[in-house]
Amino acid sequence: ALLSTAINFSVEEQYLLAKLIHLLHHDDTDMAYKMLVLAKQHLCRGGITARLRFTLPPIVFESLKLLKRVKKLEMVDTMASTAAAPTPVEETKKEEEEQPKVEEEETKEEGEKAEEGEEDTKDEKAEEVTEDEAKSEEDEKEESSKKEEEEKASVVAPPVFTKKVNCRRIFLFVQKIIAMLAIADPRASFKLNLEAAISADKCAILASSSSSKDTNSDFTSISYEFITQAFQIYEDEISDSKAQQRSIEMIVGTLLSCKMFEKDDYEALITKTAQYAAKLLKKPDQCRMVTLVSHLFFTGADANVSVVCVCVNYDVEACFFFVFSFQFDSNI
């Protein structure tokens, strides 16, 4: 009795610790990351792996929440810097616009010189008037150039991402925590891998519109790695038929949410999911899951109608087999 009460109290304490992790907050993203790292270090010193299933998932969710803040700082700053920087096309346009102006000024100066040569015989008063006009024009040009320089100097430079903790570092931290959680609670680790994959795909979407293609490919590879880890947990740890059905449903939802996979990677993932659905124990479960997986082959411009037809034919054959076997059993 004393042992059971001690276990109950320890579970309640773990719930309190999990709630405490959600209260950790700091305006500086680097400090918030350090707080989560320290919390993870202290919680892992407990020595009992059963405790980790209560305390590690809150750290993962807080890390993904911190990821949203870091993503805004990192991606939006790069978008601002790229938008503020003048492109070579714009510079060439400016040069093309300035060239006719320079030519017009040169023709004006030549015309003025010719007029001065013709007007040498004129009175000194006329020469003084032309000199005053030339000086006034030069003064106006100098004032306009000074104003342009002041305007350029007054333009504020776009913000630059100067934080030490970026999105990749947070994903690495999350991946380590999920790997530790797989020992204590494989199903929770499976779900968190899929959640992290969706977050990485969102980062890839924002990176594709703000920065180079290299960062986009980095985030898509991170998302692909999280899903492959989830597949590995499904194959090694999830053996119950009902749990397998729920897992396949979550995989399908995750793959439909991810938009930035390359064609080869996406086809490899959906074919693996279709194999999982076809290997379920019961025929009715196979029919439901194969029908659900067929939606993955009919998305976007690369819709594979032939594979969808194969899935439907497989469902029809399985249904006929199930009906005939049921009738045979009832006749017996």
Side-chain angles (χ1 to χ4, degrees):
L2 292 174
L3 181 62
S4 63
T5 54
I7 293 173
N8 290 331
F9 277 121
S10 65
V11 171
E12 291 178 358
E13 290 174 357
Q14 300 307 311
Y15 282 131
L16 292 175
L17 285 174
K19 292 179 180 179
L20 179 63
I21 293 169
H22 290 291
L23 299 177
L24 299 177
H25 179 75
H26 199 279
D27 293 333
D28 188 5
T29 55
D30 291 343
M31 288 300 298
Y33 176 77
K34 290 180 181 179
M35 293 166 68
L36 292 175
V37 171
L38 288 174
K40 177 245 184 185
Q41 291 176 356
H42 287 292
L43 292 173
C44 290
R45 290 175 184 172
I48 302 174
T49 56
R51 294 179 180 177
L52 299 179
R53 61 189 296 264
F54 299 100
T55 55
L56 289 184
I59 298 177
V60 174
F61 284 110
E62 285 299 314
S63 300
L64 295 178
K65 190 186 294 183
L66 176 64
L67 178 68
K68 294 180 181 179
R69 295 169 55 192
V70 176
K71 180 175 65 175
K72 289 180 181 179
L73 293 174
E74 184 177 0
M75 305 297 179
V76 174
D77 289 351
T78 53
M79 289 175 67
S81 61
T82 53
T87 58
V89 177
E90 292 177 354
E91 291 178 354
T92 53
K93 288 182 179 179
K94 289 181 180 178
E95 291 177 356
E96 290 176 356
E97 291 177 355
E98 289 176 355
Q99 283 179 356
K101 292 181 180 179
V102 173
E103 292 176 356
E104 289 178 358
E105 290 177 355
E106 290 177 354
T107 53
K108 286 181 180 179
E109 290 177 356
E110 291 176 356
E112 289 176 356
K113 288 179 181 179
E115 291 176 356
E116 287 177 357
E118 294 176 355
E119 292 177 355
D120 288 336
T121 57
K122 290 185 179 180
D123 299 334
E124 294 179 355
K125 293 182 179 180
E127 292 178 356
E128 291 177 357
V129 171
T130 54
E131 289 177 358
D132 293 334
E133 289 178 354
K135 289 180 181 180
S136 62
E137 288 178 357
E138 290 177 356
D139 294 335
E140 289 177 356
K141 289 179 181 179
E142 290 178 357
E143 290 178 358
S144 61
S145 62
K146 288 181 181 179
K147 287 181 180 180
E148 289 177 357
E149 290 177 355
E150 290 177 356
E151 289 177 355
K152 290 180 180 179
S154 63
V155 173
V156 180
V160 181
F161 183 73
T162 58
K163 300 293 183 181
K164 295 181 180 179
V165 179
N166 54 8
C167 295
R168 296 179 186 82
R169 192 170 179 181
I170 295 175
F171 277 124
L172 183 61
F173 178 66
V174 169
Q175 188 177 14
K176 291 180 180 179
I177 296 175
I178 294 174
M180 294 174 63
L181 183 62
I183 302 171
D185 193 352
R187 295 183 183 180
S189 179
F190 174 82
K191 295 177 183 178
L192 292 175
N193 272 309
L194 297 179
E195 190 70 27
I198 294 173
S199 299
D201 186 76
K202 290 180 180 178
C203 290
I205 292 171
L206 191 57
S208 64
S209 61
S210 63
S211 59
S212 63
K213 295 181 180 180
D214 295 334
T215 55
N216 181 15
S217 61
D218 291 341
F219 287 121
T220 52
S221 62
I222 291 171
S223 180
Y224 184 83
E225 181 65 25
F226 277 117
I227 294 180
T228 52
Q229 291 296 324
F231 284 176
Q232 189 67 34
I233 294 171
Y234 176 87
E235 294 176 357
D236 297 339
E237 302 294 339
I238 300 175
S239 57
D240 184 56
S241 60
K242 292 183 179 179
Q244 287 178 346
Q245 291 181 49
R246 290 193 294 268
S247 300
I248 292 172
E249 290 174 355
M250 286 187 283
I251 291 171
V252 172
T254 301
L255 292 176
L256 289 174
S257 300
C258 295
K259 307 295 184 183
M260 298 302 294
F261 283 125
E262 295 182 358
K263 186 177 180 180
D264 295 336
D265 295 337
Y266 182 74
E267 288 180 354
L269 294 174
I270 61 179
T271 50
K272 195 70 173 177
T273 308
Q275 292 174 3
Y276 292 152
K279 290 179 181 179
L280 291 175
L281 183 61
K282 298 179 181 179
K283 288 291 181 180
D285 298 339
Q286 291 181 10
C287 294
R288 284 193 292 268
M289 292 300 105
V290 170
T291 304
L292 184 63
V293 172
S294 65
H295 292 80
L296 297 174
F297 294 92
F298 200 79
T299 56
D302 298 329
N304 197 340
V305 181
S306 61
V307 179
V308 176
C309 293
V310 171
C311 294
V312 174
N313 290 330
Y314 179 85
D315 293 339
V316 172
E317 291 176 0
C319 288
F320 276 118
F321 176 79
F322 177 72
V323 170
F324 289 150
S325 62
F326 179 76
Q327 289 178 356
F328 180 74
D329 293 337
S330 63
N331 290 331
I332 292 175

